[in-house]
Amino acid sequence: MSNTARQPEVIAYDAGGTMTDAFIVDGSGNFVVGKAQTTPDDESRGLMESTVDALGQWDTDTSTAFPSIVSGVFSGTAMLNRLLERKGANVGCLVSGGLEDYLRLERGLQTWLGMTYADRLHVTTHYHNEPLVPRKQMHGIRGRIDVQGREAIPLYEDDVRTAVESLLEHEVDGIVICFLQSFVNDSHEALAAEIARAIVTEAGRPELPIFVSSELYPLRGDFPRLNSTVIEAYAAEPSRHQFRRLQDAVAGAGAGFDLRIMAAHGGTIAIDSRELARTLVSGPIGGVVGAGHLAEALDINRVVCSDIGGTSFDLALINEGQLAIRQTPDIARYLLNLPMVEIESIGAGTGSSVRIDPASSRPEIGPDSAGASIGTAWPEGNFETVTVTDLNLVLGRLNHEYFLGGTVQLDIERARAEVKRQVADPLGLDLDKAAGGVVDLFEEQLRYAALARVLAKGYSPLDYSLFCYGGGGPLHVAGYTEGAGYADVLVPTWAAGFSAYGCACGDFSYRFDQTAGIAISSEDPAGTTAKLDQVWGKLKERALGAFASSGIGADKVQLRYLANMQYSGQLNDIEVTANPDNPTDTSELISGFEDLYSRLYASGAASPELGYTITSLALVGSADVAKPVLPDEEETDQPPEPKGERPVWWTQTEVHVPTPVYEQDDVRAGQTIVGPAIIEAPATTFAVPPGRQARLDRHRIFHLSETSD
Amino acid sequence: MAITDQPALTPLQQLLAEREQQFSETGSYAGLTGELPFKRSDPILFEKIFSRLRGGLVSARETALNISASPIVKELGELAFAFYTPEGDSVALSTGIIVHVHTMSDVIKHIIREGFEENPGVNPGDVFCNNDSMIGDVHNADVQTIVPVFRGEKLVGWVAGVTHVIEIGASTPGSLPLGPISRFEDGLDIPCRKVGANDELFRDHTQGAAKGTRMPRYWMLDERTRLAGCLIARDQIERLIDDIGEEPFGEFCREVIEDGRRTFRTHLATMTVPGRYRAPAFAEMTLGHEERMPTHARVDTLMHAPVEMRITSDARLELDFEGASSWGHHSANCTPSGMQGALWVLLTQTVLANDKINDGAYYAISTNFPPGSWSNHQNPQASTGSPWRFLIPSFTGLLKGLSTGLFARGFLEEVLAPYAMSANTFQGGGIDQYGNQASVTNFAMSCVGGGGKPFADGLDYAAAMFNPQGDMGDLETWEINEPFVFLGAAVKASTGGPGRFRGGSGWESLRLCWGTPFFEVQNMGNGAVTMQSGLWGGYPGATGYRHNIRGTDFFDLVAERAPYPVVDGNTEESAMLLVSGERDFDQRTLTMPEAMAEGDLALSPFRGGSGLGDPIERDPQSVADDVEGGYVIPRLADSVHGVVLNDDGGVDEAATEARRAEIRSSRESKSQLTTDWMKSERERILEHGADASGPFEVQVQRMYAESMRLSEQWAGEFLSFWDLPEEFVFQIPTPTVDVSRKLIAGRDPHELQRQPRTEVREEVPRPAPSGDPAVTTETLEALIDGKLPDHQIRQIQGGRKDIERFAINLEIVQRRWPFPEDRVLLPIGLHLCIVELPDGRRVTKSDSGFVFGDYRENWKLTARVRVRGSFEEMYEIYPEKMSPNPGWNVLREYYDPINFTLLDVESVPPGYPVVHDFLPDLEGFYRDWLGQPLADEGSVG
């Protein structure tokens, strides 16, 4: 299909561990996905190869296409891998005197973060992270600011000098400064930074970066603040050079756009942003951002985003069009204070292993997974444990002759034998019933996990539409939405490339947070307003400054004001969006808070008699960028044509029944596929069980519903 | 209502009586013998319901904890929710303080037994509250909210939630008050009351409760946390019942409890060895010098926990505290409910972690907590304000026993030497930095050292016995609550017990009092006894100490920018000596609250876990690394490990080898045959005469006297072990024993124990071989040799435990055993096995070739023993001020008589009988558990 008239406008990259996807969108919203192997030593090669692959599908090349591209976004795992593989920079730290052991002690919870229910209880499995900064390069600086910002002990300036000199001897690549309570009063950190700056300049290293926690991540919580600042120096700063290399590569190929990076808060930021650790997690964010964009385009207010890959099931919520944010997320067993799109990851995906516990005859799914080895059906993968994929093959829901478009040869008989031996026999069930039962259990766990998120927000599933994407999503979506009662279930035909699509949808936006500790006083409303004005003013300055360095003027920036509030004395807070026209109106903030609170925690938990405190303020500034528009096809009234038929075992039938199989590309807008049916594409398979149907709308999104009769 | 002689049972009372009868008659929960029909016909649905039920409780917990103001709840997760059957048996529970899976069962059964259905009524929307340990709790600070779940008119279950509140209004501030000497000082007391209706709390309750604590805001928000969590969980459970129907749901609940019972037995049958395991533990209450106590409470107490664990031939667990010392006029007494709590918390961290957790296992366990002892005080007036002070030490014995069984079966990845005491804790109250009344218990104590493992050191500073998900929280969060600023928090050297694999390290934090006109602070720790023992030659972790300074020159130092201490560090070169003032630097670690003022310093040294294996077998490089990293003070590298370091900190290998040989030979000269030593120790015991005269200190004599007066059985064992005359007694008054005798006289022993009983014996569950063992010979050898990568170890730990393991391990041990003519029958330590000699005798033998004698005899009696009974000898192992006090606690080291390898260290009071750690039911094990009967003994040769 050649189309020389295409004008690529947006390009987005998702550089995963093995493959780099390039997602290119033209002016009419048509898109194409190019793939290449990720090249970890120099990501720009994989990036350009995937671009060439994508553009080739449109019969064009970079020199022709790049000049017309106005927006480019990158997301990747290199920074995270740098952290996981401990290949970061040589960092030195100045911490409050006596806390030199902080990275060894950690917080106890970092020894069990991210573990399964069983392992969290099972204390012998817990372990400490290897410190990112060697103990010798952790220097304590005497001096203390107290919880109210008063100076309890003045800064021992000589401690700073000795420490920085020692760090210079250790040839550090960067110096982190993080003192207790610096987010309340930054004077000690600022003074230490000034002294350090003078010493490194004198030593002939004026370019040596100094990372000051109160400048970068000024939020309460010394340990997550230290982690974030250390990771900024350790993993993010070295990545900046890599990002610049990517920028050089696209610029060299004729691009006029500045590559932006997907950040944890769900917007994209410039390569030169000061807080680059915000991009530590970017890939999984992309899918959620894409779902947000889709929701906006389709005018859907509340969405459950669900993504099934080989190893995990990721869930996120969109409420009132906004992505839910977690203030202190944990990433790779580190507690951070970088506000991040709240994604709950359950360690169960299509590659998860399936075992029957010998003591209790209980089926267990995951937490380990076959990864790229698929399962027992692929002998070359050397994975001896049955996986969810094996079960799907046994049931006929996956086509062993069309796995990844037929590029991988699978041994279905081996899968059958192993499922029988490892699963069916120990359960005392026949092969199909056991395979079907465990897939049901898998889907039930996903179904419940998704529902629990909705219910925990105080809503009903009827208030939400569910979006399904990821390579494994369409195969299980019918199962994990069955009977749940969502308003709608949407499966885009480009589900398998959704993360890269999502990156292309990212706003250019910055988010800045600051711990404030403002008690809302009814006696002095003007005083409260003034304090709010002051903090938001400071954040606004930072946001506009960040845009200005990308050449974007204040008139092009939209601002969103957020307040994290609590009943005075609580430790948790809730994010309330302020009225943009009058953000400091405290009565509006209070009613917004009360409304959310009663929804979250049942009305009996309301405690207005304690008064209200605004713990921290945030400000999100965003600027318009070009984004993909949705495909728009004429709907047809022709009936769909299957490409063939195969026996598939469905829970509803409890036997294999002849099931029509459709090629996804052949399905046209307006057509309804009535279950039982299988819709296949090279990268994904959509299972429509009996009693369900999928209608393809004009945007090439399937809507899964119950059959009307 | 008509008055009858026999009041009619309420419907719930009938149900409860029926369940108890069914259990007693069939040995199974709800009389479910044979196959479980629901699980059999639809194993998948069965699993689905469980995962949804547990998911609902977990998400209720995750949501509700955000309501609390208390760092204990919000940051450290000290809350849990559980679902119970109508008759009060737990079906599923969330993560959190799983201590309470059974305590709240006791409360619900109390509601039923006491006829609350009739008065005050049990209706939809009702809310009940309890914190009374006699009814079902550990101590007052654990407050429980209980909500019935109805379908229409019918009660279908209960949801209950518990939080550990930060302040309970006791006679001293905090949540672990160590001031109370009777329950009237334990603080706010809610002995199971209805406190709300229509999902709302009664105002008289909320107002009354708020007046009962020093921190009403925390109380109020915690109460709302519990109620909201219960309501969220209840909604989800109602939805679940709607989906599957009431009948099937009820059937599921009963089956899942019975399933839990069977699974627990299957685990025991797969992972342990039947037999008797003993591991006594001790704890101290040092109030003898506390002038603010009334005279009757101004005593030093040594708590005796003679822990005996039995795994029966039909794979049940019996836990027996027969011989425990008496309750006392202090706050560390326990109730059976609290003991059950501690038992649970330990089982769920070890053998039960990978499975369903509910009251099923409760029915597979039987316990003896002797009435009148500290473990079951039965005294309506006794305080239980801070029972963890005894619970934590005493349950080290259970862990030791389990580890011995796990090791014998080849599950090395699960073996742990005992954990550390959660101390010293910072607790106090007064006026905070905002000018408000405040009180604080710092729960950073949920991060202490774990025990050593047979292939690695213990987990450093990250968990506690009572909460595997330990966390110390952010210092900035604690500073909101305490009028103190932290000066530092650091690794504390030589806290972990030395061993071939050391105990996990402790840490310490130092605070500066700041911004308060008045705040009093209490020291809470152990300084006289180690609390825990080590495993197989590992030493227990160091004891605690206190170092606080009042009226300091701290700010003078600051004015001159002179260095001030940020932590204390090595006690032998204490950094806090930089500051002058009125100094408390000693091992009197339990004090009543004392006022502190701005500029004063308070230290919290947290303890380390115990070691495993002989310290002179530790890899010398690991010792060097520990010295370099501040985990061991340099002096002890030599005296404990025999490692000689160069000036640059590297290992001098030749000197180390020589030093270690020297240590072995000094062990020879300083030890004697155990039976010889026993003769002299017997003479010392006999020296005790009238009026507590004799070599043992008063608290030691009193401990023995209490145990002997409360338990004829224990007295008999003591007398017979030491071959003492029948009339021998420690002539010292034990006033609380007399009170106990009166209190329990004539009462039903069954009711005093409270646990349902059955006499029914069952077949040993014999799980089928998986055919595909989770761990191969190659992997297990790599684990034994310390060569398995950490991620693979974790995979094994979290993985399947299959029946094949025993054979795989035994083959390795046999292959490596230096005496191929022996048949190894059971490995029982790093160097010890029970073997069958060519002549057919079954003996305990070491890998040096020493035959200790018949395996049924205590091998220690034919070993060589050295008793460390002076501070000087203690300081070869521990830093000064961090060792046990030999008047309370000696260390007995048992050596291999051929090569003087250290095989075991007993940490016991003087005069304690030599502990017979493990008496396996070897024949029964081979015959009934393995199905491979041993030939008649002696018939082989």
Side-chain angles (χ1 to χ4, degrees), chain A residues 97-98 101 104 107 122 128 142-144 146 156 181 221-223 225 360 362 437 448 568 570 607 609, chain B residues 39 44 47 52 56 67 217 224 236 354 414 460 471 474 476 479 486-487 489 491 514 562 564 629 797:
Chain A
D101 274 344
R104 296 203 290 182
R107 288 260 303 263
H122 195 184
H128 280 282
R142 287 177 171 83
R144 276 305 318 266
D146 79 2
Y156 278 39
Q181 307 291 3
D222 43 308
F223 193 60
R225 189 170 69 246
S360 59
R362 185 160 64 92
Y448 182 74
S568 301
Q570 283 184 308
S607 307
E609 68 276 23
Chain B
K39 184 177 180 185
I44 305 281
E47 198 53 40
R52 231 178 112 177
I67 296 169
R217 168 184 306 223
R224 286 176 186 163
Q236 304 208 26
N354 291 335
E414 298 296 323
D460 295 322
D471 186 25
D474 267 313
E476 285 175 356
E479 287 188 354
F486 282 93
L487 295 181
V491 173
W514 173 251
Y564 58 80
Q797 287 168 329

Side-chain angles (χ1 to χ4, degrees), chain B residues 627-643:
Chain B
V627 171
E628 162 82 21
Y631 291 96
V632 168
I633 66 171
R635 180 176 72 77
L636 296 180
D638 176 275
S639 68
V640 179
H641 295 287
V643 170

Side-chain angles (χ1 to χ4, degrees), chain A residues 308-466:
Chain A
I308 303 189
T311 55
S312 72
F313 177 62
D314 292 344
L315 277 169
L317 290 189
I318 297 171
N319 294 305
E320 321 308 327
Q322 300 299 328
L323 310 182
I325 295 286
R326 182 171 290 166
Q327 292 281 344
T328 313
D330 57 275
I331 298 167
R333 290 167 54 88
Y334 286 97
L335 200 62
L336 302 174
N337 70 357
L338 317 166
M340 177 172 131
V341 173
E342 199 170 346
I343 298 180
E344 186 187 3
S345 199
I346 290 137
T350 52
S352 292
S353 55
V354 175
R355 294 188 182 87
I356 309 302
D357 182 275
S360 59
S361 305
R362 185 160 64 92
E364 282 175 350
I365 301 166
D368 60 321
S369 119
S373 303
I374 301 171
T376 62
W378 192 45
E380 288 156 62
N382 288 321
F383 195 76
E384 301 298 329
T385 309
V386 165
T387 64
V388 174
T389 296
D390 285 321
L391 304 178
N392 279 311
L393 288 162
V394 165
L395 297 172
R397 294 187 199 163
L398 279 177
N399 182 354
H400 63 275
E401 290 170 342
Y402 195 61
F403 197 78
L404 293 177
T407 55
V408 178
Q409 293 306 309
L410 300 183
D411 181 348
I412 183 70
E413 287 315 318
R414 184 163 193 264
R416 284 203 183 105
E418 290 300 319
V419 172
K420 179 171 186 309
R421 187 177 71 82
Q422 296 182 32
V423 179
D425 292 349
L427 279 176
L429 298 174
D430 73 40
L431 176 69
D432 295 323
K433 193 149 189 204
V438 175
V439 170
D440 277 359
L441 177 63
F442 171 67
E443 290 172 348
E444 166 72 21
Q445 287 172 356
L446 307 187
R447 189 175 84 106
Y448 182 74
L451 270 177
R453 298 297 308 280
V454 169
L455 298 172
K457 293 281 174 212
Y459 283 96
S460 132
L462 265 177
D463 302 319
Y464 281 81
S465 292
L466 181 135

